[in-house]
Amino acid sequence: MKFPSDFIWGTATSAYQTEGGNSNCEWWQWELNKKRGQKYPLEPSGIACDSYNKYDEDFDLCKQLNNNGVRISIEWARIEPQPGKFDQKELDHYKRVLSSAKQRGLKTFVTLHHFTNPLWFFKKGGWINPKAPWYFARYAKVCAKELGPLIDTFFTINEPQVYALMCYTIGKWPPNKIDPIKSLICQINFIRTHKKAYKAIKSVDNYTVGIVKNIVWYEAYGEKPRFLDTLVAKFMFYLNCDFFLKPIKKQLDVIGLNYYFTNQIKGLKAIHPAGMVSNLNWWINPEGLKEVLIHLKKYKMPIYITENGLADSEDRLRKVFIKSMLVACLSAIQQGTPLKGYFYWSLIDNFEWHEGYWPKFGLVAIDRKTLERKPRKSFYYYAEVCNNNEVIK
Ligand code: FCB
């Protein structure tokens, strides 16, 4: 049950969900200007976990977890508050954050874009604007120049297709559009953006650059699945995986995989069994993770699980969840998948987007009044796994 000796053990968070006070983002405005009768967001992000100030404390928790890596993101809106005007104070802030992680023996895996945008960029049409890749590459280059020496692995964009889906297909996130053409333009723009940003970062130095891709495993329902369901499942998986990754294959040094759940296709509908689900009703299926990992083998490059976790306010399933997901990882490794690390989502409870603060993903609970951090029981389980470099009972 041992993992390779150089395996990276970590946790993941994002800037907007934990820092607090990111008032220069479109999300902040959306949260403030909630209209009557509008359900989401359930609450504003506000101070979040105040990790903008409490990052030392957070990284101390990573150390207590015996981690040797950490995944965080940096906020574009802070670094480039006005188009082309970069804020040295904020760049220096992130230098302190990254140095703090380094001092605690953590390799840094840094996402440049995790869902939120500077207001100015959003007002220019955001990810629909044909110039979006150009704006983003300019920012990525500044990050590489200023922060590059403190970053072990760059990730350009977090879950580009989830963003397109939430913002332009189902319209739950700002700018709340239901427009499949815009959703497609957004995805194509992300492909263009990744390529351009990759080049921009590499022009500074030969840094390691990847992308973070949410991949859902799709399978046909039943022991003897119907032909049409099998076909639909294959197509959905293709759209969700190779459709996006193949065009950028040459501009990837590593792949970041976010795995949360599996969908079964039955009569053209996506369903899942009622049994093992998280508080968000996401089906816990480690087999799906194994399937995705084995599928990614063909890309012939290092893979990191950049997010995997569950909302579990009572910490009932978290230990079993981690254990069974790690067994799936081991089995994929045994079958030749170059899996190099695992980041549990999340270190601390945080702002779960339109849902607000009720879903509890953290190994560490946060008192919403005092912001005091309190490790849950599963925290100690994960700490032991990371220490021993193996799945333990
Ligand atoms: C992922 C997001 C992350 C977090 C988890 C639960 O899709 O990347 O920010 O919200 O889901």
Side-chain angles (χ1 to χ4, degrees):
M1 299 293 249
K2 277 265 179 202
F3 278 80
S5 59
D6 55 352
F7 201 75
I8 299 288
W9 293 104
T11 60
T13 56
S14 86
Y16 195 86
Q17 292 172 279
T18 56
E19 282 181 350
N22 268 309
S23 56
N24 198 24
C25 293
E26 90 280 33
W27 263 79
W28 188 272
Q29 296 304 318
W30 185 56
E31 291 160 22
L32 281 192
N33 300 314
K34 195 170 148 178
K35 295 184 191 74
R36 267 181 171 221
Q38 183 186 315
K39 184 171 175 201
Y40 294 116
L42 295 185
E43 57 191 317
S45 56
I47 185 114
C49 311
D50 195 21
S51 292
Y52 187 80
N53 297 304
K54 294 185 189 295
Y55 55 89
D56 282 335
E57 215 180 295
D58 291 347
F59 294 140
D60 279 342
L61 289 165
C62 300
K63 220 180 143 190
Q64 279 180 50
L65 277 172
N66 304 309
N67 285 174
N68 54 358
V70 69
R71 176 175 172 234
I72 59 166
S73 80
I74 56 180
E75 197 60 61
W76 184 8
R78 287 190 191 272
I79 294 179
E80 192 181 357
Q82 297 295 329
K85 299 234 156 61
F86 292 87
D87 188 336
Q88 196 57 46
K89 274 203 319 290
E90 295 291 350
L91 284 162
D92 290 343
H93 164 79
Y94 284 117
K95 277 183 199 162
R96 286 193 296 275
V97 173
L98 293 166
S99 306
S100 166
K102 289 264 175 206
Q103 277 157 21
R104 286 163 179 79
L106 303 165
K107 285 221 160 87
T108 53
F109 293 74
V110 179
T111 321
L112 301 184
H113 185 271
H114 196 122
F115 293 157
T116 42
N117 301 298
L119 257 182
W120 64 262
F121 176 81
F122 182 74
K123 286 184 183 153
K124 283 181 191 288
W127 292 100
I128 298 303
N129 185 334
K131 274 185 80 182
W134 184 85
Y135 288 123
F136 188 79
R138 179 174 65 180
Y139 153 69
K141 190 165 182 175
V142 171
C143 293
K145 273 192 185 151
E146 291 279 334
L147 309 172
L150 293 165
I151 296 179
D152 291 287
T153 296
F154 283 81
F155 291 113
T156 53
I157 303 151
N158 178 70
E159 300 190 347
Q161 288 183 300
V162 171
Y163 180 92
L165 174 89
M166 297 305 281
C167 299
Y168 295 105
T169 311
I170 61 173
K172 242 185 197 168
W173 292 357
N176 311 94
K177 300 274 187 274
I178 300 182
D179 184 338
I181 304 286
K182 286 208 166 109
S183 178
L184 186 64
I185 293 175
C186 174
Q187 291 176 57
I188 293 168
N189 258 346
F190 274 134
I191 289 175
R192 294 175 54 221
T193 300
H194 174 80
K195 289 184 174 178
K196 224 174 157 51
Y198 180 91
K199 241 175 115 184
I201 298 167
K202 291 282 186 183
S203 76
V204 176
D205 207 335
N206 190 21
Y207 293 125
T208 304
V209 185
I211 199 163
V212 171
K213 189 71 192 67
N214 170 290
I215 303 178
V216 174
W217 176 245
Y218 284 91
E219 60 188 26
Y221 172 81
E223 298 255 308
K224 281 191 194 141
R226 288 196 296 192
F227 176 69
L228 192 62
D229 289 346
T230 309
L231 214 65
V232 173
K234 283 220 163 90
F235 184 62
M236 291 304 289
F237 184 70
Y238 163 78
L239 282 184
N240 193 218
C241 185
D242 295 338
F243 166 80
F244 197 94
L245 286 181
K246 266 204 184 140
I248 57 169
K249 200 177 155 211
K250 288 209 181 93
Q251 290 83 24
L252 285 175
D253 304 325
V254 301
I255 294 176
L257 162 67
N258 290 0
Y259 174 80
Y260 284 98
F261 52 81
T262 295
N263 277 334
Q264 291 184 326
I265 302 295
K266 184 186 183 189
L268 298 182
K269 279 206 180 103
I271 58 156
H272 64 71
M276 279 272 274
V277 293
S278 76
N279 294 159
L280 279 165
N281 197 27
W282 294 359
W283 177 30
I284 299 164
N285 181 39
E287 274 299 300
L289 173 58
K290 189 175 110 188
E291 295 291 350
V292 176
L293 284 172
I294 289 172
H295 178 88
L296 290 176
K297 233 166 82 172
K298 67 178 185 193
Y299 283 94
K300 296 195 171 66
M301 62 181 81
I303 297 165
Y304 291 92
I305 296 175
T306 35
E307 284 180 36
N308 177 234
L310 82 169
D312 181 16
S313 57
E314 281 164 22
D315 206 35
R316 270 190 320 120
L317 297 174
R318 194 168 279 108
K319 179 180 160 182
V320 194
F321 175 98
I322 295 175
K323 200 185 346 184
S324 54
M325 291 294 174
L326 292 179
V327 169
C329 291
L330 274 175
S331 144
I333 293 173
Q334 274 152 15
Q335 291 183 51
T337 308
L339 180 64
K340 302 295 177 193
Y342 177 90
F343 295 84
Y344 178 81
W345 180 278
S346 180
L347 175 67
I348 43 184
D349 287 344
N350 57 56
F351 180 68
E352 183 46 33
W353 307 113
H354 60 283
E355 298 283 359
Y357 288 101
W358 76 262
K360 309 288 187 201
F361 277 90
L363 290 164
V364 178
I366 291 212
D367 183 317
R368 289 286 340 133
K369 287 209 181 81
T370 61
L371 300 182
E372 192 196 333
R373 277 102 164 118
K374 282 194 195 132
R376 295 194 163 99
K377 229 176 137 193
S378 52
F379 176 97
Y380 300 100
Y381 172 74
Y382 189 52
E384 212 182 325
V385 168
C386 300
N387 187 49
N388 297 8
N389 202 32
E390 69 182 332
V391 188
I392 42 181
K393 287 210 180 118

